[in-house]
Amino acid sequence: MTSDSDDRRSTDDHGHDIIDPLFVGIVTVSSSRAAKDDPDDPGGDTIQDCFEAEDHVVRERLLVRDDYSAIRTAVRSLVARRDIDVVCTTGGTGVTVDDVSPEATASLFERELPGFGERFRSLSWDEVGTRAIASRATAGIAVDTPVFCLPGSQSACETACTELIVPEAPHLAGLATRHRTGTTDRTLAEYQGE
């Protein structure tokens, strides 16, 4: 069977590969929220709202504590899925000892996207001034999937999503998976049967 992203693949006005609509995974990183039975999730909700406003589909939302292994495992589980085109994490990008989201996600990157963090901090400067230097927001490609690591605040998530991620993610997902176009996903048993 071919990947369902092939059905959503096209090119934009400039001939660049895009996937639209995107299927999105969101990981909220917060020990305090993870300890609650029914936690609120303003950062995750904002990311979801931004993607859905442009007709993309959120396929999975996960909530994990501020822990390197928990974050890495959650992100890895999402990028391994062929039905997830982009992953966003929210929370854990500051400078406290338990802010390890950038390290946990970056450990999965095959290629970094340094322009994202640079531009995000520039945009944040206009909103929060010198506090923008405390953000360690980052992005990269992991298992052919764009991954964005965002702060936990609603404002930061909205700025990152509306100004940078949602407009560019269809193109990034298209480029990152272009080498898979027209290929067939097979089970191990099907592969071994050849």
Side-chain angles (χ1 to χ4, degrees):
M1 82 180 156
T2 59
S3 169
D4 76 325
S5 68
D6 288 345
D7 297 335
R8 297 176 288 115
R9 182 177 296 280
S10 64
T11 55
D12 64 14
D13 295 339
H14 303 288
H16 298 142
D17 289 320
I18 62 169
I19 296 177
D20 191 8
L22 290 169
F23 295 159
V24 182
I26 300 170
V27 179
T28 299
V29 179
S30 173
S31 291
S32 60
R33 287 186 173 90
K36 295 179 181 177
D37 288 334
D38 187 22
D40 63 328
D41 182 7
D45 292 344
T46 299
I47 294 169
Q48 181 166 346
D49 291 346
C50 289
F51 275 99
E52 289 179 346
E54 296 300 321
D55 297 322
H56 301 297
V57 178
V58 174
R59 285 274 175 108
E60 185 80 44
R61 287 186 61 174
L62 303 172
L63 173 62
V64 298
R65 66 190 188 287
D66 292 279
D67 174 77
Y68 181 95
S69 294
I71 298 163
R72 189 174 193 279
T73 298
V75 172
R76 187 176 54 199
S77 74
L78 292 174
V79 299
R81 291 173 48 176
R82 293 295 286 258
D83 68 331
I84 298 288
D85 302 308
V86 63
V87 173
C88 291
T89 71
T90 175
T93 63
V95 297
T96 66
V97 70
D98 62 345
D99 286 330
V100 295
S101 293
E103 291 80 12
T105 56
S107 71
L108 299 168
F109 294 167
E110 295 140 7
R111 292 172 303 287
E112 292 186 47
L113 299 171
F116 168 75
E118 295 162 1
R119 185 64 181 136
F120 173 74
R121 281 180 284 282
S122 175
L123 290 169
S124 296
W125 185 272
D126 296 337
E127 294 179 19
V128 298
T130 58
R131 290 189 179 193
I133 66 171
S135 173
R136 297 182 312 118
T138 190
I141 305 296
V143 192
D144 303 333
T145 306
V147 177
F148 298 91
C149 187
L150 309 178
S153 79
Q154 282 181 276
S155 177
C157 290
E158 184 172 1
T159 297
C161 287
T162 59
E163 298 293 325
L164 300 170
I165 299 170
V166 175
E168 187 58 22
H171 180 224
L172 290 171
L175 289 175
T177 58
R178 182 170 55 190
H179 64 279
R180 295 192 322 220
T181 303
T183 61
T184 301
D185 288 337
R186 297 182 293 176
T187 66
L188 183 57
E190 290 170 332
Y191 178 77
Q192 291 172 334
E194 283 190 346

